[in-house]
Amino acid sequence: MTSTREKAIIFSIIHFIIIFQHIIISIGSKEYACQSFSCGRLPIRFPFYLKDKQPSYCGYPGFGLSCTKSKKTVVELPLSGSFFVRFINYTSQSMEIYDQTCCIPQRFIAGFNLSRTPFNTQGYANYTIFNCSGDFADGIDCLTSSNYTVIALDPEEYIEQYLPAGHCDLLAQIKWPNAPPKYSDKNLNPDGLIMNWDEPRCGSCETGGQICGYQNTSSHTIGCFEKPKEKPVGKKIPICVSVGIFVFVLSGLIIFNEIRNKADKKEKENQLRIEQFLEKNALKPTRYSHADLKKITKKFETKLGQGGYGSVFKGKLKNGIQVAVKVLDYTKGSNNGEEFVNEVGTIGRIHHLNVVRLLGFCVEGYTRALIYEFMPNGSLDKFIFSAEKDKTIIDLGWAKLQEIAIGIARGMEYLHQGCDQRILHFDIKPQNILLDHNFIPKISDFGLAKLCTKDTFVTISMAAARGTMGYIAPEVFSRNFGAVSYKSDVYSFGMLLLEIVGGKKNTETKMETRTEGEYFPEWVYNRLNRGEDLGIQADAEGLDTVNKLTMVALWCIQWNPIDRPSMNGVLHMLEGNTEDLLKAPNPFASMTSVSSTSRVNHTNEIELTELTSILEDHE
């Protein structure tokens, strides 16, 4: 059966097609385009047309108007410039224009010519414009100031009668419609000018209550038509669009509501599962509400960073302890709360100097957050990857880096052997190693962790590879390379040690003697095997540390998990003397033998060459 969501989508598509076709037909119709418009309160219809809204065939040549943003109608006269239109009388075929300064005589003095327009005025007369210093009662008000008076006189009049000698200067000679603007009794308005048109002859149509226009879209024959009773088609588009938007919004609400209901149902199931987990497990961390989180973080004011499954904010508890609050993003990762359960279920029940401490958590609605002790020095990657680029980063030195490596190994050894159940981290990398104010390392981010028994030969079953490219052990990619176990964490630790030695990510490290494109771990082994150094500048003690970290790393990254030491063995090597370390076998020589003996009947597994390519191309 068709679901509610599918019905809503089908209904929306059909309705959209109908509306879209209607709009296209309407827009493509000349009858629609030539309907009456208005600019402000001024109706615009044939023979006029709005140039910014209608095509030229909607009006008579020379009758194009424009409408400003302030809803003022403008007419462009070719030889005289632009004027505003005050009103249009379609019956008498006349309109009044005015200047922005409301002084038409000024435009006449500058030059006014209607010869290239369809408009005319009711006759002209020649007038002479004078600028007089005397006081004249009949001056042109809009041109007159406190210092002088401007007057217009008919040349046929006795100019001497009006102009005392030496008081006036000739300003211009103009043609003015009808009579001088000083004569108010002749119905002239200095701030406006009446213009008429003879063609097209539409006055009779308007007198009879009809409108004028072209008889059809392809003919220039003009006729009279009944005024449309319905509202202008121009208003139908907004109505159609409004209806369409309403339908889409309604359909969207139906779809959203169904999706939200399913999400709410799933979230309730996840919430119940998490609550059951919390009830069965007595945990040391404190449970906080969402309101508590806002107080702790001051409404999430300071963001420390962005992780794979959420954002981290700085905060402070009531007792003054600084904390880092990791708010899980519900849209990322596993939506069933697996990351939250992993973190709380592992780190929430343990306490070790080299494992970050979980102080609290929040489960409320869609909010899931973890509250950790605050690490002021951030993560290890900042110090080993950015030291050359950022001179403000502290150079830890090889002695401190060795201490950090030993601290990480102790934390991992505790996870593997010191708890009731073995905790496999599956995401050991510099970004997940935090440093406190004394640069003591603490393992963090247990979102991918798994619990298992501490039996010697126990293996882990996983539906898919987990971890970060470049640190994932070969067997996590493909069972052809062995079983997944705690040795997979050992491999990741080995890759971390190599990055500490190289000072950059393995695939980005470029040593002077390294061939371009050569896999860094293999290059390291080949150098040591030939008795050559790694080209690292350090004193004798520092070089001894470099050699030790490198040799331990090569033991950790053996392709066959059986050949890798446990974290307890790694710790003994790191704390012992370099001279006592046995030379690690070639990690890459075992690739072929391990793969060839177990590749048969595993067509769905990753081939050796594919895995090597992935490791060489990872970030």
Side-chain angles (χ1 to χ4, degrees):
M1 294 181 63
T2 305
S3 67
T4 305
R5 178 182 179 184
E6 291 172 339
K7 289 179 180 178
I9 293 174
I10 293 172
F11 175 72
S12 299
I13 293 174
I14 294 175
H15 194 82
F16 172 76
I17 292 173
I18 294 173
I19 293 175
F20 186 74
Q21 286 178 338
H22 179 79
I23 293 174
I24 293 299
I25 292 172
S26 298
I27 292 176
S29 169
K30 289 186 178 181
E31 285 76 9
Y32 154 71
C34 297
Q35 290 293 324
S36 175
F37 278 84
S38 62
C39 180
R41 295 184 179 181
L42 186 64
I44 309 297
R45 60 177 181 268
F46 193 88
F48 295 96
Y49 67 95
L50 283 175
K51 292 188 290 187
D52 54 345
K53 289 186 178 180
Q54 297 173 293
S56 59
Y57 59 70
C58 291
Y60 204 75
F63 282 79
L65 303 175
S66 301
C67 189
T68 67
K69 291 182 179 180
S70 58
K71 298 301 181 182
K72 290 185 177 181
T73 305
V74 177
V75 60
E76 184 77 26
L77 302 179
L79 298 178
S80 304
S82 300
F83 292 84
F84 292 118
V85 179
R86 182 170 282 124
F87 72 82
I88 300 175
N89 190 321
Y90 292 93
T91 302
S92 64
Q93 299 199 170
S94 63
M95 70 173 177
E96 182 181 4
I97 62 173
Y98 65 98
D99 182 74
Q100 187 173 5
T101 61
C102 295
C103 191
I104 288 293
Q106 179 69 50
R107 299 294 290 270
F108 272 82
I109 294 174
F112 186 83
N113 194 327
L114 297 178
S115 62
R116 293 187 183 179
T117 72
F119 307 106
N120 57 72
T121 61
Q122 300 298 323
Y124 287 96
N126 293 320
Y127 291 95
T128 304
I129 307 297
F130 291 94
N131 187 357
C132 302
S133 59
D135 186 13
F136 292 81
D138 51 4
I140 303 174
D141 292 340
C142 67
L143 295 177
T144 298
S145 72
S146 59
N147 298 324
Y148 58 83
T149 303
V150 177
I151 62 173
L153 297 177
D154 188 334
E156 296 179 359
E157 299 183 47
Y158 295 100
I159 295 180
E160 293 81 359
Q161 169 183 342
Y162 291 92
L163 303 177
H167 282 216
C168 297
D169 296 321
L170 178 66
L171 188 60
Q173 289 183 331
I174 65 171
K175 288 183 176 292
W176 182 264
N178 298 325
K182 65 176 182 176
Y183 296 123
S184 59
D185 58 339
K186 298 212 176 167
N187 198 27
L188 289 174
N189 185 3
D191 67 350
L193 176 66
I194 302 295
M195 297 197 309
N196 303 87
W197 69 88
D198 298 325
E199 296 291 341
R201 299 182 182 275
C202 293
S204 58
C205 295
E206 298 284 343
T207 302
Q210 297 179 304
I211 60 174
C212 192
Y214 292 122
Q215 289 186 350
N216 55 63
T217 57
S218 61
S219 171
H220 286 188
T221 304
I222 296 173
C224 299
F225 303 92
E226 295 295 330
K227 291 183 179 180
K229 295 180 180 180
E230 69 275 10
K231 293 182 179 179
V233 182
K235 296 183 179 179
K236 291 185 179 179
I237 286 183
I239 294 174
C240 292
V241 173
S242 299
V243 173
I245 291 175
F246 173 76
V247 172
F248 277 114
V249 171
L250 182 61
S251 302
L253 288 174
I254 294 174
I255 297 172
F256 175 78
N257 187 57
E258 182 177 355
I259 295 174
R260 185 60 185 266
N261 287 339
K262 289 182 179 179
D264 288 343
K265 182 179 179 180
K266 183 177 180 180
E267 172 59 20
K268 288 179 181 178
E269 294 174 354
N270 295 335
Q271 186 82 6
L272 178 61
R273 188 174 67 85
I274 293 174
E275 292 294 346
Q276 290 174 345
F277 166 81
L278 296 175
E279 185 178 348
K280 292 179 181 179
N281 294 271
L283 301 173
K284 298 178 181 178
T286 305
R287 182 167 183 169
Y288 293 90
S289 66
H290 182 76
D292 294 331
L293 290 185
K294 293 175 69 176
K295 293 179 182 178
I296 292 171
T297 61
K298 293 183 179 180
K299 297 182 179 180
F300 307 99
E301 180 181 41
T302 305
K303 188 173 182 179
L304 298 175
Q306 183 75 35
Y309 293 108
S311 302
V312 182
F313 300 89
K314 187 176 181 180
K316 182 184 289 186
L317 300 180
K318 290 182 179 180
N319 57 10
I321 296 178
Q322 289 187 323
V323 294
V325 180
K326 179 181 179 180
V327 181
L328 300 180
D329 188 344
Y330 186 77
T331 63
K332 295 181 179 179
S334 175
N335 287 348
N336 60 8
E338 180 183 350
E339 292 79 23
F340 178 85
V341 170
N342 282 344
E343 294 258 9
V344 176
T346 53
I347 194 173
R349 65 180 76 212
I350 62 176
H351 181 61
H352 188 272
L353 176 65
N354 298 116
V355 178
V356 69
R357 186 178 179 186
L358 182 67
L359 302 177
F361 61 89
C362 173
V363 180
E364 185 177 312
Y366 286 90
T367 301
R368 290 166 191 158
L370 301 162
I371 302 175
Y372 303 98
E373 57 180 326
F374 177 67
M375 298 289 107
N377 281 316
S379 56
L380 176 62
D381 63 305
K382 179 175 66 175
F383 295 92
I384 63 175
F385 294 154
S386 304
E388 294 182 4
K389 299 177 183 178
D390 189 348
K391 299 304 180 182
T392 63
I393 300 297
I394 298 174
D395 186 0
L396 297 179
W398 289 110
K400 177 59 69 174
L401 288 173
Q402 179 175 245
E403 291 179 11
I404 290 173
I406 292 174
I408 299 170
R410 287 173 178 166
M412 292 180 63
E413 196 273 339
Y414 172 77
L415 295 176
H416 290 179
Q417 298 294 338
C419 305
D420 294 337
Q421 284 186 299
R422 179 171 287 156
I423 300 174
L424 307 188
H425 190 279
F426 282 114
D427 203 15
I428 296 295
K429 59 182 179 181
Q431 292 83 350
N432 289 339
I433 305 300
L434 303 181
L435 303 173
D436 69 5
H437 61 285
N438 290 323
F439 291 95
I440 295 175
K442 297 179 184 289
I443 302 170
S444 69
D445 200 340
F446 286 73
L448 300 180
K450 272 186 171 289
L451 296 173
C452 65
T453 63
K454 292 194 289 186
D455 296 337
T456 305
F457 299 105
V458 69
T459 59
I460 304 299
S461 175
M462 291 192 301
R466 55 173 61 198
T468 302
M469 294 297 297
Y471 306 93
I472 305 176
E475 66 272 13
V476 178
F477 277 111
S478 171
R479 305 306 178 265
N480 291 343
F481 299 99
V484 178
S485 66
Y486 66 94
K487 294 292 188 73
S488 302
D489 276 351
V490 175
Y491 180 92
S492 300
F493 178 74
M495 296 302 289
L496 182 149
L497 289 181
L498 286 178
E499 291 191 331
I500 291 178
V501 170
K504 296 180 181 178
K505 292 185 178 181
N506 289 323
T507 54
E508 295 179 356
T509 305
K510 295 181 180 178
M511 312 297 284
E512 293 181 0
T513 57
R514 179 185 169 197
T515 304
E516 185 175 358
E518 188 177 2
Y519 185 40
F520 178 67
E522 190 170 7
W523 176 85
V524 169
Y525 175 80
N526 291 335
R527 295 284 295 181
L528 293 183
N529 191 47
R530 293 193 296 264
E532 300 172 350
D533 61 56
L534 301 180
I536 295 174
Q537 300 296 325
D539 56 20
E541 186 177 353
L543 290 177
D544 181 72
T545 300
V546 169
N547 290 333
K548 178 191 294 185
L549 296 179
T550 304
M551 293 175 68
V552 174
L554 291 174
W555 274 107
C556 293
I557 64 170
Q558 296 292 311
W559 280 71
N560 192 333
I562 297 176
D563 295 333
R564 298 173 203 154
S566 66
M567 286 309 303
N568 186 47
V570 170
L571 190 57
H572 281 301
M573 286 190 285
L574 288 173
E575 292 177 333
N577 296 322
T578 307
E579 296 81 6
D580 297 335
L581 289 178
L582 296 177
K583 180 181 176 181
N586 186 353
F588 313 101
S590 61
M591 288 193 301
T592 305
S593 61
V594 171
S595 178
S596 61
T597 57
S598 57
R599 191 178 299 168
V600 181
N601 298 326
H602 287 276
T603 57
N604 292 328
E605 300 286 1
I606 298 178
E607 295 291 341
L608 174 62
T609 55
E610 294 175 347
L611 179 58
T612 304
S613 175
I614 290 172
L615 291 174
E616 290 178 348
D617 295 337
H618 82 277
E619 284 192 359

